[in-house]
């Protein structure tokens, strides 16, 4: 059986992975799985269970006891926690912090990785996250490491949060970006790093469209598959 097309995009917080991945997947006519959304749902599960995000055993138990799933509506991902649509609830800063904290734990990661691999086995997909090229889809034919300077990422993050009605200062966001980078890159289990066979795309000086096109050019180069306009 031939494997369906899989594309792995990893990178630090605020590099634009989610929105860029949505557009690249749309132009390729494949689904986009935002794996960060699943860790955010896991964070919400731990929060709802009232356990401390530092209590590995309690967090792992709370996450294993909850049902985290994704569905697609009109090609777009809906993230479900115990059957409830949490796609909006997971988009707060607090949910991001909880996600980063609970994603340190191997028991949590095992559950998420298994689900991601199951989904990508049967359906052509683009997955974005922190460990897709290094752990989840080690054999993906296309691996991208999408990054930008911490300042550029903080700037974008601030705009996103403002659209959601939150108004943190730039310094606060930059501090948060650096703290999340540190936590994601220094955790023991599957830290964020560029896979040896991943191509780096630095979007600091690129527009949204330029970044999408740079990634589509890499996809074309590696697989011969072209995206539509
Ligand atoms: O991409 P994001 O901000 O939605 O991700 C939230 C957190 O989830 C992030 O701090 C690290 C974690 N994460 C992970 O460990 N592995 C992934 N594949 C995706 C996200």
């Amino acid at each position: 059986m031939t494997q369906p097309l899989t594309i792995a995009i990893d990178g630090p917080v605020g590099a634009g992975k989610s929105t860029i991945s949505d557009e690249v997947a749309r132009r390729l006519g494949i689904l986009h799985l935002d794996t960060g959304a699943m860790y955010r749902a896991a964070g919400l599960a731990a929060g709802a269970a009232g356990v401390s995000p530092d209590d590995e055993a309690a967090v792992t138990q709370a996450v294993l006891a909850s049902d985290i799933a994704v569905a697609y509506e009109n090609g777009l991902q809906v993230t479900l926690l115990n059957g409830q649509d949490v796609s909006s609830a997971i988009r707060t800063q607090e949910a991001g912090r909880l996600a980063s904290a609970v994603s340190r734990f191997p028991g949590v990661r095992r559950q998420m990785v298994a689900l991601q691999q199951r989904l990508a086995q049967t359906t052509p997909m683009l997955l974005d996250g922190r460990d897709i090229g290094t752990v989840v889809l080690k054999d993906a034919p296309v691996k991208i490491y999408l990054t930008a300077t911490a300042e550029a990422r903080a700037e974008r993050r601030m705009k996103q949060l403002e659209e959601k009605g939150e108004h943190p200062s730039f310094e606060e966001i930059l501090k948060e970006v650096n703290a999340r980078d540190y936590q994601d890159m220094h955790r023991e289990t599957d830290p964020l790093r560029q896979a040896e066979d991943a191509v780096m795309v630095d979007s600091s000086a690129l527009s949204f469209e330029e970044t999408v096109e740079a990634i589509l050019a890499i996809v074309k180069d590696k697989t011969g598959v072209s995206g539509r306009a």
Side-chain angles (χ1 to χ4, degrees), residues 146 156 201-212 214-215:
L146 180 62
R156 290 182 196 149
V201 174
D202 184 331
S203 71
S204 309
L206 299 181
S207 68
F208 179 84
E209 180 59 26
E210 286 167 341
T211 310
V212 168
I215 293 175

Side-chain angles (χ1 to χ4, degrees), residues 55-89:
D55 185 339
E56 177 167 358
V59 165
T60 306
Q61 200 188 14
V63 174
L64 289 181
S66 62
D67 178 21
I68 294 166
V70 298
Y72 286 88
E73 276 175 18
N74 302 321
L76 291 180
Q77 177 176 337
V78 176
T79 306
L80 303 161
L81 173 61
N82 299 324
Q84 299 267 2
D85 182 351
V86 290
S87 308
S88 303

Side-chain angles (χ1 to χ4, degrees), residues 9-14 17-18 34-40 90-91 95-104 109 112-113 116 128-132 136 157 180-181 183-184 187 189-192:
I9 301 190
D10 292 299
V13 66
K17 287 190 308 292
S18 284
D34 171 358
T35 63
M38 296 166 63
Y39 287 95
R40 285 168 180 263
I90 57 175
R91 291 296 152 206
R97 261 194 294 272
L98 274 174
S100 187
V102 307
S103 66
R104 289 172 295 168
R109 302 202 68 80
M112 299 298 133
V113 169
Q116 292 154 16
D128 89 87
R130 305 291 191 286
D131 60 340
I132 310 302
V136 181
R157 198 76 179 167
R180 288 274 296 282
D181 280 358
Q183 181 147 301
D184 293 346
R187 67 173 177 232
T189 312
D190 308 337
L192 168 65

Side-chain angles (χ1 to χ4, degrees), residues 5-202:
L5 174 66
T6 46
I7 298 173
I9 301 190
D10 292 299
V13 66
K17 287 190 308 292
S18 284
T19 46
I20 295 285
S21 296
D22 257 346
E23 183 60 10
V24 170
R26 190 187 70 75
R27 292 203 202 174
L28 290 168
I30 62 176
L31 294 177
H32 166 214
L33 178 64
D34 171 358
T35 63
M38 296 166 63
Y39 287 95
R40 285 168 180 263
L44 283 195
V51 300
S52 154
D54 292 323
D55 185 339
E56 177 167 358
V59 165
T60 306
Q61 200 188 14
V63 174
L64 289 181
S66 62
D67 178 21
I68 294 166
V70 298
Y72 286 88
E73 276 175 18
N74 302 321
L76 291 180
Q77 177 176 337
V78 176
T79 306
L80 303 161
L81 173 61
N82 299 324
Q84 299 267 2
D85 182 351
V86 290
S87 308
S88 303
I90 57 175
R91 291 296 152 206
T92 63
Q93 257 190 308
E94 175 59 15
R97 261 194 294 272
L98 274 174
S100 187
V102 307
S103 66
R104 289 172 295 168
F105 302 136
V108 172
R109 302 202 68 80
R110 266 197 302 276
Q111 194 191 356
M112 299 298 133
V113 169
L115 179 54
Q116 292 154 16
Q117 288 174 333
R118 243 187 348 263
L119 288 165
Q121 219 163 37
T122 49
T123 315
M125 270 192 172
L126 181 158
L127 281 76
D128 89 87
R130 305 291 191 286
D131 60 340
I132 310 302
T134 52
V135 178
V136 181
L137 302 173
K138 281 204 188 108
D139 297 330
V142 186
K143 296 184 185 177
I144 312 274
Y145 190 79
L146 180 62
T147 190
T149 62
E151 286 74 16
R153 291 185 284 123
E155 193 79 50
R156 290 182 196 149
R157 198 76 179 167
M158 197 165 78
K159 288 210 180 93
Q160 273 177 3
L161 289 168
E162 277 173 355
E163 281 163 18
K164 308 235 142 38
E166 294 185 39
H167 297 282
S169 70
F170 179 75
E171 288 66 34
E172 204 181 310
I173 294 282
L174 185 60
K175 215 169 107 196
E176 180 83 24
V177 163
N178 283 321
R180 288 274 296 282
D181 280 358
Y182 188 87
Q183 181 147 301
D184 293 346
M185 290 173 184
H186 291 86
R187 67 173 177 232
E188 252 170 67
T189 312
D190 308 337
L192 168 65
R193 62 182 176 83
Q194 181 176 348
E196 271 167 31
D197 50 351
V199 182
M200 183 193 280
V201 174
D202 184 331

